[in-house]
Coordinates of all heavy atoms in Angstrom, one line a residue:
H179 N 2.6 18.2 -11.0 CA 3.8 17.3 -10.7 C 4.4 16.9 -12.1 O 3.7 16.9 -13.1 CB 3.5 16.1 -9.9 CG 2.5 15.2 -10.4 ND1 1.1 15.4 -10.2 CD2 2.5 14.1 -11.1 CE1 0.4 14.4 -10.8 NE2 1.3 13.6 -11.3
V181 N 6.8 13.7 -13.7 CA 7.2 12.3 -13.3 C 8.4 11.9 -14.2 O 8.4 12.1 -15.4 CB 6.1 11.3 -13.5 CG1 6.5 9.9 -13.2 CG2 4.8 11.7 -12.7
P235 N 7.4 12.6 -8.8 CA 7.4 11.2 -8.6 C 8.5 10.6 -9.5 O 8.8 11.1 -10.6 CB 6.0 10.8 -9.1 CG 5.2 12.0 -9.0 CD 6.1 13.1 -9.3
H262 N 5.6 12.0 -17.6 CA 4.4 12.8 -17.8 C 4.5 14.1 -17.0 O 5.2 14.1 -16.0 CB 3.1 12.1 -17.6 CG 2.7 11.7 -16.2 ND1 3.0 10.5 -15.6 CD2 2.0 12.4 -15.3 CE1 2.5 10.5 -14.4 NE2 1.9 11.6 -14.2
A264 N 1.8 16.7 -15.1 CA 0.4 16.8 -14.7 C 0.1 18.3 -14.6 O 0.9 19.0 -13.9 CB 0.2 16.1 -13.4
Q326 N -8.8 12.9 -12.3 CA -7.6 12.9 -13.2 C -7.9 12.1 -14.5 O -8.7 11.3 -14.5 CB -6.4 12.3 -12.4 CG -6.6 10.8 -12.1 CD -5.5 10.2 -11.3 OE1 -5.7 9.1 -10.8 NE2 -4.4 10.8 -11.1
F328 N -5.5 11.0 -18.3 CA -4.2 10.9 -18.9 C -4.3 10.9 -20.5 O -5.2 10.2 -21.0 CB -3.4 9.7 -18.5 CG -3.2 9.6 -17.0 CD1 -4.2 9.2 -16.1 CD2 -2.0 10.1 -16.5 CE1 -3.9 9.2 -14.8 CE2 -1.7 10.1 -15.1 CZ -2.7 9.7 -14.3
E341 N -1.0 14.6 -17.9 CA -2.1 14.3 -17.0 C -2.9 15.6 -16.8 O -2.2 16.7 -16.6 CB -1.6 13.7 -15.7 CG -2.6 13.6 -14.6 CD -2.0 13.0 -13.3 OE1 -0.8 12.6 -13.3 OE2 -2.7 13.0 -12.3
F351 N -1.9 10.9 -5.4 CA -1.7 10.9 -6.9 C -2.6 9.9 -7.6 O -2.3 9.5 -8.8 CB -0.2 10.6 -7.1 CG 0.7 11.7 -6.7 CD1 1.0 11.8 -5.3 CD2 1.0 12.8 -7.5 CE1 1.7 12.9 -4.9 CE2 1.7 13.8 -7.1 CZ 2.1 13.9 -5.7
Ligands
LIG1 FE1 0.7 11.8 -12.3

Side-chain angles (χ1 to χ4, degrees):
H179 58 275
V181 181
H262 76 266
Q326 64 185 167
F328 298 82
E341 174 180 350
F351 295 82

